[in-house]
Amino acid sequence: MSNSSSSTLNPPSKPPLSSNFTPKIIFKLYPLPQPSKPTSKFHLKIKSLHSPNNQNPKKTLNLISILKDLPDWADEVQEKGMRKKRVLYNHEKWAEHRSSLRHVRHLVSSLSSRVVVSLVPPVLFFTSIAVMVSVYNTALYFDLLPEFFPVLRASSLPYQLTAPALALLLVFRTEASYSRFMEGKQAWTKIIYGTSDFAREVITCVDDLNDEVIKRCLLQYIMAFPIALKCHLLYDSDVRRDLQNVLEEDDLSVVLNSKHRPHCMIQFISQSIQLLNVEEPKRNILDSKLSRFHEGIGICEQIMGTPIPVAYTRLTSRLLVLWHLTLPVILWDECRWIVVPATFISAASLFCIEEVGVLIEEPFPMLALDEMCKVLCTNIQEAIATQKTIQGKVAAKRKKYHHEHPSNGWPTSSAEKIRQLKC
């Protein structure tokens, strides 16, 4: 009975504990509104949450904040443009490309061009320098400044002597970038045609019914190789999204866990070739096709990893900056306030040429690699689907030809055809 009574008395002992515990919470929470420190902290949090909205109008009026935010905005727009997917040209695209209204269309779309947007910070900076030089010289002309301040002007002879050198430097810089673009384009052309030729060889050479599963997997690996190489070269590519419609899930997990995905696809292809029941000469032919893949990986990684010598790029940039910093001083005597639009036009044109050279120096974002891989997979899948039909058509023509032209070389007469049909 004592045990039962003690057990019955234990549960009521908990509510007093809980009742004693709740006042402690109330006691801790109750003094919080009274001191000034917690309320000040609370108000500070509200101000910090709304501070960006309250400070945005002030930032727009602050020239220093604008100059700090413009490069980040221009770089963000440029990087988004670099990730934009390119398209392959067709007849409609070529007709639009050579249209007589292309100049108007290009002028209207200038503000949406990433090249033009990336030029906003340097062009605005050098135009502002020209405005300050013009204001300073104008103030001296109207005696608004002391006389001992010098007028910012100089002879244009040094610019006339160095202008050809700057032009040649820009031409050589752009030509070197274009050669890298063409090298990357040729490398991907070889990869695409090599992949198509490899798939055709597998479709025609592997005809054993026991190899249907390996043949199907091998064709999947061949189609997946250019996609894996494209994701390896392009920044911020979604490998799972691009390969999930080509590879099976177990194969895809192995590719995603590998450090070098194009090499992983080559291993899949090589192991599948070894499992085929084909003659040794055919196996050697299929193995030799992998050399094109290795060559393509080497060329693309070399282009991606080794830019134009950095000293060349730095020299071009430094000369352009020094040229436009001193351009308003050189043109002041002849142009006066026209130095402002002259500096704007010069900076926009010369920096645009340099910017295009920098963009095409990395050729792979400029190529329509997604469309190339998509067209390649479509062509291979169509070849697989029509293989049996085309093979049956060709075999029927061969049978018909041998039936109409016997081995003696003489055409079969009508009487012999009737006798063969009766037999």
Side-chain angles (χ1 to χ4, degrees), residues 249-268:
E249 189 63 31
D250 53 347
D251 297 334
L252 180 59
S253 62
V254 176
V255 174
L256 293 178
N257 293 328
S258 63
K259 295 181 179 180
H260 199 289
R261 297 183 177 103
H263 283 168
C264 182
M265 295 309 310
I266 290 179
Q267 292 180 3
F268 271 107

Side-chain angles (χ1 to χ4, degrees), residues 35-219:
S36 59
K37 291 183 178 179
T39 55
S40 62
K41 289 183 179 178
F42 181 73
H43 287 295
L44 286 174
K45 289 181 180 179
I46 294 177
K47 289 181 180 180
S48 63
L49 290 173
H50 295 281
S51 59
N53 295 329
N54 295 330
Q55 293 179 1
N56 279 335
K58 295 182 180 179
K59 286 185 177 180
T60 56
L61 298 177
N62 192 354
L63 180 61
I64 298 177
S65 62
I66 292 176
L67 294 178
K68 288 182 179 179
D69 294 338
L70 269 179
D72 297 335
W73 169 73
D75 292 340
E76 183 179 358
V77 173
Q78 183 177 1
E79 291 301 322
K80 288 182 179 179
M82 294 289 287
R83 298 189 187 99
K84 184 180 179 181
K85 292 184 178 181
R86 308 291 184 263
V87 296
L88 293 174
Y89 269 41
N90 50 20
H91 297 289
E92 290 77 11
K93 285 286 184 180
W94 280 114
E96 182 183 1
H97 181 71
R98 60 177 176 264
S99 174
S100 59
L101 296 176
R102 64 183 182 274
H103 305 291
V104 178
R105 185 176 66 249
H106 296 163
L107 182 61
V108 172
S109 62
S110 297
L111 297 178
S112 62
S113 172
R114 69 179 184 278
V115 177
V116 175
V117 171
S118 63
L119 295 178
V120 171
V123 172
L124 182 61
F125 173 75
F126 292 115
T127 306
S128 303
I129 295 295
V131 171
M132 288 188 289
V133 171
S134 301
V135 170
Y136 172 80
N137 289 338
T138 304
L140 287 175
Y141 179 77
F142 288 104
D143 297 330
L144 299 178
L145 294 175
E147 295 181 357
F148 59 85
F149 280 92
V151 179
L152 298 179
R153 59 186 178 185
S155 175
S156 61
L157 182 60
Y159 266 56
Q160 296 176 6
L161 296 176
T162 57
L166 181 61
L168 289 176
L169 185 62
L170 286 174
V171 169
F172 290 155
R173 175 69 173 79
T174 309
E175 185 66 24
S177 299
Y178 184 73
S179 65
R180 288 171 55 86
F181 176 80
M182 291 303 299
E183 187 178 0
K185 179 183 176 182
Q186 291 173 1
W188 262 91
T189 302
K190 292 180 180 179
I191 291 171
I192 294 297
Y193 284 109
T195 305
S196 180
D197 183 51
F198 197 175
R200 179 194 60 80
E201 199 74 29
V202 172
I203 292 173
T204 56
C205 291
V206 181
D207 53 359
D208 193 350
L209 295 178
N210 296 325
D211 290 336
E212 286 296 327
V213 177
I214 302 298
K215 178 181 178 180
R216 178 174 57 83
C217 293
L218 179 58
L219 291 172

Side-chain angles (χ1 to χ4, degrees), residues 192 195-200 202-203 215-227 241-248 372-390:
I192 294 297
T195 305
S196 180
D197 183 51
F198 197 175
R200 179 194 60 80
V202 172
I203 292 173
K215 178 181 178 180
R216 178 174 57 83
C217 293
L218 179 58
L219 291 172
Q220 290 178 354
Y221 302 149
I222 293 172
M223 288 187 292
F225 172 77
I227 302 175
R241 182 195 62 191
D242 293 340
L243 290 176
Q244 64 182 357
N245 295 327
V246 181
L247 296 177
E248 298 179 358
M372 291 182 185
C373 296
K374 183 179 179 180
V375 172
L376 175 66
C377 293
T378 302
N379 293 337
I380 294 176
Q381 291 172 357
E382 183 180 359
I384 296 172
T386 59
Q387 177 196 2
K388 299 295 183 182
T389 303
I390 295 175

